[in-house]
């Protein structure tokens, strides 16, 4: 076991919460883009300021460290069975601490209605990232609290810089994903 999975298991045991240490290994984290590497053909999206989360396709939400997230039943109702979703619980730009406060409460407060599960990938859907995003979009159609995150195809370094400026001007950050390799992500 890795130090991260051991720590996640210890923390869950200490608090009496459920833990799935395998989740730690399924979450792809963004890396820093050097501003020089050609990312033509990659998908780009805003890097959200929320709590990373995985829907296991079996009825459970998990934090990226493997702790079960106790979302209200009405929040998860309609999330697809047999389709894993990797995304983020998001309240809004600059509202990370408030989002985490709501999510960590286990009494399922009404404040959850302000949170959205924004999906970056459906890792077990198979195919390239565009196909997995399409599968997630189809599965989430009409869902009140979950949606697929907006992505754009990068047309070169200048295009990425332009997109980065637009998002930063709006108070956000940017991440890019390789078109078919989920684990290859960069962020600036």
């Amino acid at each position: 076991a890795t130090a991260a999975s051991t720590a996640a298991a210890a923390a869950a045991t200490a608090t009496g919460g459920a833990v799935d240490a395998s989740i730690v290994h399924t979450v792809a984290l963004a890396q820093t883009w050097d501003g020089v590497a050609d990312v033509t053909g990659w998908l780009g999206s805003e890097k959200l300021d929320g709590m990373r989360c995985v829907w296991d396709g079996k009825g459970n939400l998990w934090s990226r460290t493997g702790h079960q997230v106790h979302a209200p039943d009405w929040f998860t109702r309609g999330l697809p069975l047999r389709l894993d979703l990797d995304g983020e619980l998001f309240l809004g730009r600059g509202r990370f601490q408030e989002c985490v406060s709501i999510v960590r409460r286990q009494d399922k407060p009404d404040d959850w209605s302000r949170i959205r599960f924004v999906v970056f990938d459906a890792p077990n859907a198979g195919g390239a990232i565009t196909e997995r995003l399409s599968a997630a979009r189809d599965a989430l159609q009409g869902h009140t609290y979950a949606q697929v995150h907006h992505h754009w195809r990068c047309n070169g370094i200048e295009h990425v810089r332009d997109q980065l400026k637009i998002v930063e001007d709006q108070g956000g950050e940017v991440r890019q994903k390789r078109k078919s390799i989920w684990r290859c992500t960069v962020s600036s």
Side-chain angles (χ1 to χ4, degrees), residues 135-148:
R137 198 171 289 106
D138 290 347
L140 295 175
Q141 201 164 28
H143 196 282
T144 304
Y145 302 103
Q147 64 197 49
V148 173

Side-chain angles (χ1 to χ4, degrees), residues 65-87:
T65 57
H67 292 86
Q68 188 169 12
V69 175
H70 299 279
D73 293 338
W74 51 262
F75 186 88
T76 58
R77 189 174 299 121
L79 288 177
L81 295 178
R82 296 177 301 282
L83 183 64
D84 298 353
L85 300 172
D86 184 3

Side-chain angles (χ1 to χ4, degrees), residues 23-30 48 51-57 61-64 80 83-89 117-125 129 132-133 136 140 147-149 151 175 177 182-183 185:
I23 296 294
V24 174
H25 304 291
T26 66
V27 177
L29 300 176
L48 301 178
M51 182 179 160
R52 196 65 181 268
C53 190
V54 174
W55 170 255
D56 66 7
L61 277 173
W62 301 91
S63 73
R64 73 178 181 95
L83 183 64
D84 298 353
L85 300 172
D86 184 3
E88 205 151 297
L89 295 172
F117 181 39
V118 183
V119 174
F120 308 135
D121 196 2
N124 71 336
I129 184 68
R132 297 191 310 265
L133 289 170
L140 295 175
Q147 64 197 49
V148 173
H149 195 34
H151 292 79
R175 77 173 68 212
K177 287 185 201 156
W182 165 244
R183 294 202 180 274
T185 60

Side-chain angles (χ1 to χ4, degrees), residues 27-126:
V27 177
L29 300 176
Q31 303 296 315
T32 302
W33 178 51
D34 63 8
V36 177
D38 185 5
V39 291
T40 301
W42 293 36
L43 293 183
S45 65
E46 179 177 352
K47 182 181 178 299
L48 301 178
D49 191 17
M51 182 179 160
R52 196 65 181 268
C53 190
V54 174
W55 170 255
D56 66 7
K58 300 173 193 159
N60 301 296
L61 277 173
W62 301 91
S63 73
R64 73 178 181 95
T65 57
H67 292 86
Q68 188 169 12
V69 175
H70 299 279
D73 293 338
W74 51 262
F75 186 88
T76 58
R77 189 174 299 121
L79 288 177
L81 295 178
R82 296 177 301 282
L83 183 64
D84 298 353
L85 300 172
D86 184 3
E88 205 151 297
L89 295 172
F90 183 64
L91 189 58
R93 291 182 182 131
R95 300 178 73 185
F96 173 76
Q97 292 299 331
E98 185 180 357
C99 179
V100 170
S101 276
I102 293 168
V103 171
R104 287 197 174 153
R105 293 192 57 166
Q106 292 188 20
D107 56 354
K108 304 178 182 180
D110 291 338
D111 288 347
W112 269 87
S113 66
R114 298 184 293 142
I115 293 176
R116 296 295 172 264
F117 181 39
V118 183
V119 174
F120 308 135
D121 196 2
N124 71 336

Side-chain angles (χ1 to χ4, degrees), residues 155-171:
N155 296 321
I157 293 172
E158 286 308 312
H159 179 242
V160 174
R161 288 182 180 140
D162 291 345
Q163 291 297 320
L164 177 60
K165 179 160 178 29
I166 290 167
V167 172
E168 285 179 339
D169 287 349
Q170 296 172 353

